[in-house]
Amino acid sequence: MARIVLKFGGTSVGDTDRIKNTANRIIDEKKKGNQVVVVVSAMGKTTDQLVNLSKEISAYPSKREMDMLLSTGEQITISLLSMALAEQGHPAISFTGWQANIQTENIHGNARIIDINPKKITNHLQNDQIVIVAGFQGVTNDSEITTLGRGGSDTTAVALAAALKADKCVIYTDVTGVYTSDPRYIPHARKLGAISYDEMLELANLGAGVLHARAVEFAKNYQIPLEVCSSLVRESGTIIEEEVTVEKSLIVRGVAFEDQITRITIFGLKNGFKNLSSIFTKLAKQNINVDIIIQNQTEGENTYLSFSIKNDDLRDTIEILEQNQESLGFDNFEYESGLAKVSIIGSGMISNPGVAAKMFDILSMNNIEIKMVSTSEIKVSTVIEEKYMIQASQVLHTAFELDKVELDVK
Ligand code: ASP
Ligand code: MG
C-alpha cells in the first residue's frame, strides 16, 4: 500500500462543483488502495479577497491579524471537501494547520515549517480515513497561527510528504505542468517532461508561480519526487527529481520573469564593509528580502551600493534607511520602481560559456537597457524596465531555442 500526498490549488476547489470534482479524483487514488492525505488551498481568489478586505480597514494591518484572517480561507475548503468525500461514501476528516501539528517559526506572514508531528494523521490513515489538511498555515510553539507566504500550500504538501514518509507528492494545479516560461504570456512556451530540483528551485525563486520555492527546497532536501499536473485536464505532468537527462543541445531550459521590483541606490557609504553588513542586518531583521546586490568602491573609502527589493518592501526599507542614516553612515539614497527581473535558467550553462554574453547581446539588440545583473551556476538574471518584461522574455525564449526544440519527455 502506498502513501501519497495530493495538493489541490485554488482553481481546483474554486466552487462547489470543482470541489466535488476534486473529491472524485481523490477517491480514484483511494480506490487504488493508497493511503491518501490531501492538502488544499483557499477557494479560487479567496485569499486575494481577504487581503482586499483588510485593505478597506487598514493600509498596514498587523501581520499577526493578517495571518488570523488569511488562515480562514483554507479552513473553508477543508471542511467542504471533507463533506464532499463523505457524501460519496468515503470517510474523511479535516484538520487546520495547528490540528495537524504543523509547527512553524515565530514569524507572521512568511513562516517556515520547523517540525511536523504526523502521529495524529497516521492514526486516521490507519482508520482508513482520507485526511485533509489546510495548506499555507501552521502554529508557533506559543499557539499563534502563522502563514507560510503566498503560494505556501505547496510547501505544506511537500513537508507533510516528508514527515509522513510518503511515496509521492502530486501537486494538482491550473496548468498542465512546468513550462519553459509562463504560457499565459509567452505563447510558444512548452511543457517540460522533467526538470531537476535545482532548475525548478531557480525557476520558483525567480517568479515562476507554478510552485512555492520552499516546497522545492523541501523536496530536494528529503528527495521526494514531485509531480506537477492539471486537476482539470487528464494528461501527464512534469516530474521534478534529482537527475534529469537534459537534451544535450539545450543549454537554457526556462525563462522566468517577475515584476514589481524596486532598485535602491545608496551613495557615499562610509567605512566600506562594516556599514554594508549593518545595512543588510537591519533589513533582514525586518524580513526584507534583498535580491541582487551591487557594490562599487569609488575614491577613497566611499562606496556606492545598489540592491533590489520587491515593491511591497519599499516603505519599510525607506523607513529603515531614513531612521538609520547617521549610524549607517551614508550621504543619501534614491530608488527606482517600475522594474522587473527577467532570468534564464538551465543546468547546461555550467559547461557552456557565453550564455550571459548571448543574453546581453539579445537584450541590447532589442534596445532593452540592463540595470542590474546577477548570476549563479545555472541562471542569469537581469533587471530591466517593467514595460519591457514580456518582450524581453519572448525574445530570449526564441533566441535560446525554447520555442521549437523537442524536449525529452520521460
Ligand atoms: N491561499 C494561499 C494563497 O493564495 C496559499 C496557496 O494557495 O498556496 O497564496
Ligand atoms: Mg500555487
Side-chain angles (χ1 to χ4, degrees):
M1 177 189 289
R3 181 176 283 179
I4 58 177
V5 175
L6 311 176
K7 183 259 169 178
F8 292 88
T11 318
S12 320
V13 292
D15 55 35
T16 46
D17 280 337
R18 293 249 168 108
I19 290 179
K20 289 179 197 167
N21 184 45
T22 291
N24 287 330
R25 298 214 57 169
I26 295 167
I27 291 165
D28 287 351
E29 294 301 326
K30 182 78 174 54
K31 280 188 179 155
K32 290 180 194 161
N34 295 315
Q35 288 189 338
V36 184
V37 175
V38 182
V39 173
V40 281
S41 294
M43 291 172 68
K45 297 260 168 265
T46 302
T47 310
D48 290 335
Q49 283 157 5
L50 292 171
V51 170
N52 289 340
L53 272 183
S54 74
K55 285 189 179 147
E56 286 176 24
I57 305 250
S58 163
Y60 298 103
S62 109
K63 289 187 171 174
R64 178 194 186 271
E65 299 308 333
M66 279 311 287
D67 279 355
M68 194 61 93
L69 177 67
L70 298 189
S71 62
T72 62
E74 274 68 15
Q75 200 170 330
I76 296 173
T77 324
I78 53 170
S79 48
L80 291 175
L81 182 58
S82 183
M83 291 175 203
L85 288 163
E87 204 57 33
Q88 304 272 346
H90 288 269
I93 183 162
S94 66
F95 293 133
T96 61
W98 66 265
Q99 287 178 307
N101 292 315
I102 299 178
Q103 268 226 13
T104 73
E105 57 186 3
N106 198 359
I107 286 175
H108 287 290
N110 201 14
R112 282 172 185 273
I113 295 175
I114 45 184
D115 191 32
I116 297 180
N117 179 346
K119 191 85 195 88
K120 188 164 175 175
I121 296 178
T122 49
N123 284 345
H124 285 277
L125 290 175
Q126 271 144 20
N127 281 340
D128 209 30
Q129 282 172 302
I130 297 168
V131 177
I132 302 162
V133 181
F136 175 57
Q137 54 179 264
V139 65
T140 67
N141 57 9
D142 54 355
S143 308
E144 288 292 311
I145 292 178
T146 52
T147 63
L148 312 182
R150 295 304 305 269
S153 296
D154 296 339
T155 299
T156 306
V158 183
L160 274 174
L164 289 160
K165 301 195 168 47
D167 297 286
K168 70 170 178 175
C169 180
V170 188
I171 311 277
Y172 290 95
T173 176
D174 52 353
V175 292
T176 52
V178 179
Y179 279 66
T180 49
S181 194
D182 188 333
R184 288 171 301 177
Y185 301 94
I186 312 296
H188 294 297
R190 307 176 68 257
K191 187 167 74 181
L192 294 158
I195 186 168
S196 71
Y197 291 127
D198 287 331
E199 287 172 323
M200 191 62 229
L201 201 54
E202 292 281 10
L203 272 177
N205 273 323
L206 291 168
V210 62
L211 272 182
H212 199 229
R214 282 189 197 150
V216 186
E217 226 172 77
F218 252 107
K220 179 177 161 67
N221 289 345
Y222 293 91
Q223 294 288 303
I224 296 165
L226 276 185
E227 186 177 349
V228 175
C229 59
S230 164
S231 63
L232 309 168
V233 188
R234 294 204 185 221
E235 63 179 54
S236 66
T238 302
I239 308 278
I240 301 148
E241 58 194 351
E242 189 65 44
E243 289 287 337
V244 176
T245 22
V246 182
E247 154 78 56
K248 287 286 176 295
S249 64
L250 203 63
I251 295 165
V252 170
R253 285 172 79 81
V255 178
F257 47 89
E258 186 181 358
D259 59 3
Q260 304 204 23
I261 307 268
T262 294
R263 174 174 67 173
I264 311 268
T265 306
I266 294 177
F267 298 97
L269 182 67
K270 318 280 182 316
N271 242 336
F273 67 94
K274 282 215 182 92
N275 289 346
L276 203 62
S277 80
S278 317
I279 289 180
F280 291 116
T281 308
K282 284 216 156 53
L283 294 171
K285 278 198 179 130
Q286 291 300 312
N287 278 309
I288 293 169
N289 244 326
V290 172
D291 186 18
I292 301 177
I293 300 173
I294 294 170
Q295 192 228 99
N296 214 327
Q297 188 135 14
T298 48
E299 338 83 67
E301 297 212 306
N302 273 358
T303 299
Y304 94 74
L305 169 72
S306 291
F307 56 89
S308 66
I309 53 170
K310 294 292 290 175
N311 288 354
D312 278 351
D313 286 329
L314 179 58
R315 183 176 170 271
D316 286 352
T317 304
I318 291 176
E319 206 175 288
I320 290 168
L321 293 178
E322 280 176 353
Q323 280 173 3
N324 299 286
Q325 179 165 1
E326 209 158 301
S327 67
L328 293 174
F330 62 86
D331 292 340
N332 60 310
F333 70 93
E334 57 185 41
Y335 63 87
E336 181 180 6
S337 292
L339 302 178
K341 185 164 69 167
V342 173
S343 312
I344 53 175
I345 299 100
S347 308
M349 280 181 206
I350 297 175
S351 47
N352 286 281
V355 177
K358 179 170 173 185
M359 180 182 195
F360 304 154
D361 217 32
I362 290 155
L363 294 178
S364 115
M365 270 165 14
N366 285 276
N367 292 318
I368 298 171
E369 186 198 346
I370 300 171
K371 297 187 177 259
M372 299 177 98
V373 176
S374 88
T375 62
S376 80
E377 264 190 323
I378 63 167
K379 73 122 201 264
V380 185
S381 295
T382 55
V383 172
I384 60 172
E385 273 182 75
E386 204 169 73
K387 64 179 180 204
Y388 297 127
M389 180 176 78
I390 299 300
Q391 185 201 343
S393 305
Q394 234 147 18
V395 294
L396 290 169
H397 197 271
T398 306
F400 284 101
E401 293 173 1
L402 293 175
D403 293 1
K404 52 179 197 285
V405 174
E406 205 44 54
L407 301 168
D408 36 54
V409 178
K410 279 182 64 148

